[in-house]
Amino acid sequence: MNPRKSPPWRDANEEVAALIKKLHETDQRLEELTAGEVDSVACRDGRTLLLRRAQDQLRYRETAKQAAILNALPAHIALLDTQGLILSVNKSWRRFVRANATQGPGYEIGRNYLEICDAAPADDSSAAHQVAEGIRSVLGGWVKRFSIEYPCHLPTEQRWLSLMVTPLAGDPPNGVVVMHLNITEQQLAKDDLRESERRFSEMLDNVELISLMLDREARITYCNDYLLRLTGWRREEVIGRDWVELFIPPEIDMTDHYSALLANRPDAWHHENDILTRSGERRRIRWNNSVLRSGVGDV
């Protein structure tokens, strides 16, 4: 009796399976055999297997996408390995290196960033040594991230940078990402604000008027020298204290008035009350009040 023949579809499937197995065993590229028309095949379990050229293309596309994202960021970004060697940088980092080529050693791919920080000149050594210590802490897994703000001035301009170090995958990390962001504009704005506040404070200290700022809970956040001279308290004894508890006689209830002031009601803009000095004496004060709000409208 002749053996039973297999159905034609089974023979075809077996031939395809054998071909797929042969291709994978011999590491041939199906893309080449099909002029690039096929870049994946399915195994007998139905799983899709990408062939080498397709895998290479996917990796290339993913790498290119990541590079495009990093290059679009305004920060200077570098990837370091576990020893501190610079493996990869974005365009902003390269521009920064070219602009600072005359200020010291370069920060190109292949250089050891930790060694550069360790060997920083005396003027920059404090921040550089902190950076090196912070990177080593992240690489060792002792901290999750490290950040620092520091000056990085040129002969012709002042600059400030914010540096952040974050780990790559692994425990301990397989490396770190070092990111510098130019914060010069923000720093100059802070300096201008501090100078403006200093001049304003000096002006208030030279007039015989009490100047006082309270937060929503009536804690003292600022007072001028005249209040201190009038009451005999020292500044460190006043800032952060409850205004009512420290200065208001116990029989005076300021609750309703302060609530009206926070609500910015006109009847709370002006009022009079006694305040206590450190020795327990009373001084009668006439107040002109106003409410300060943040950029989003919070008191």
Side-chain angles (χ1 to χ4, degrees):
M1 186 173 181
N2 292 331
R4 184 177 179 181
K5 289 187 176 181
S6 300
W9 57 265
R10 179 174 296 174
D11 293 339
N13 281 353
E14 290 177 352
E15 289 178 5
V16 171
L19 175 61
I20 292 173
K21 181 179 179 181
K22 181 68 174 178
L23 288 172
H24 284 288
E25 287 177 349
T26 59
D27 202 23
Q28 292 180 344
R29 295 181 177 179
L30 188 59
E31 305 101 306
E32 296 175 359
L33 300 178
T34 59
E37 294 299 322
V38 176
D39 60 9
S40 66
V41 295
C43 67
R44 299 185 66 175
D45 298 330
R47 291 174 298 163
T48 299
L49 304 175
L50 292 175
L51 301 184
R52 181 175 296 174
R53 179 174 296 175
Q55 292 173 334
D56 291 343
Q57 290 175 347
L58 279 178
R59 282 194 292 267
Y60 174 79
R61 286 197 293 267
E62 183 63 24
T63 300
K65 181 177 71 174
Q66 293 175 359
I69 293 173
L70 292 179
N71 287 332
L73 297 175
H76 321 314
I77 301 174
L79 173 66
L80 312 185
D81 70 5
T82 56
Q83 304 303 312
L85 290 177
I86 302 175
L87 301 178
S88 178
V89 298
N90 69 345
K91 288 182 179 179
S92 181
W93 183 284
R94 295 191 185 95
R95 287 195 297 268
F96 180 78
V97 170
R98 288 195 296 268
N100 293 272
T102 60
Q103 303 302 313
Y107 299 84
E108 302 89 352
I109 293 175
R111 296 292 303 275
N112 190 300
Y113 191 76
L114 291 174
E115 292 178 358
I116 293 173
C117 292
D118 290 337
D123 292 344
D124 303 324
S125 61
S126 177
H129 293 168
Q130 291 182 61
V131 169
E133 182 179 349
I135 292 175
R136 290 187 172 103
S137 296
V138 176
L139 284 172
W142 306 314
V143 297
K144 291 298 183 182
R145 62 171 50 85
F146 169 80
S147 62
I148 186 176
E149 294 181 1
Y150 65 96
C152 183
H153 301 323
L154 292 174
T156 57
E157 65 174 315
Q158 289 187 316
R159 296 181 311 181
W160 285 265
L161 297 178
S162 174
L163 176 141
M164 178 174 290
V165 181
T166 53
L168 295 174
D171 186 18
N174 296 321
V176 296
V177 176
V178 177
M179 180 175 68
H180 291 84
L181 186 64
N182 192 323
I183 58 169
T184 301
E185 288 188 10
Q186 297 93 315
Q187 187 65 39
L188 292 176
K190 289 180 182 178
D191 291 345
D192 289 343
L193 179 60
R194 281 193 292 265
E195 178 61 20
S196 176
E197 290 176 342
R198 186 191 64 80
R199 291 196 299 265
F200 184 67
S201 180
E202 287 183 353
M203 179 187 71
L204 293 177
D205 286 339
N206 290 322
V207 295
E208 292 190 347
L209 293 172
I210 293 175
S211 178
L212 180 74
M213 291 182 66
L214 310 177
D215 66 11
R216 289 186 58 89
E217 284 71 43
R219 292 185 297 257
I220 303 168
T221 60
Y222 166 81
C223 68
N224 67 342
D225 287 346
Y226 184 66
L227 173 66
L228 302 176
R229 293 197 301 268
L230 186 69
T231 61
W233 291 95
R234 294 192 301 271
R235 189 176 305 278
E236 60 270 20
E237 298 173 317
V238 169
I239 300 300
R241 295 286 300 276
D242 186 293
W243 164 254
V244 176
E245 179 184 291
L246 193 62
F247 286 99
I248 304 301
E251 73 275 9
I252 299 178
D253 186 358
M254 297 289 293
T255 304
D256 291 342
H257 179 81
Y258 201 64
S259 297
L261 179 58
L262 291 176
N264 207 19
R265 282 173 26 194
D267 59 312
W269 293 348
H270 310 285
H271 78 286
E272 294 184 6
N273 67 269
D274 288 345
I275 65 171
L276 297 174
T277 68
R278 186 171 189 171
S279 63
E281 297 180 80
R282 294 183 178 227
R283 297 287 186 269
R284 188 71 175 177
I285 307 297
R286 178 183 295 113
W287 300 99
N288 295 310
N289 303 312
S290 61
V291 175
L292 301 179
R293 296 184 181 276
S294 68
V296 295
D298 295 331
V299 175

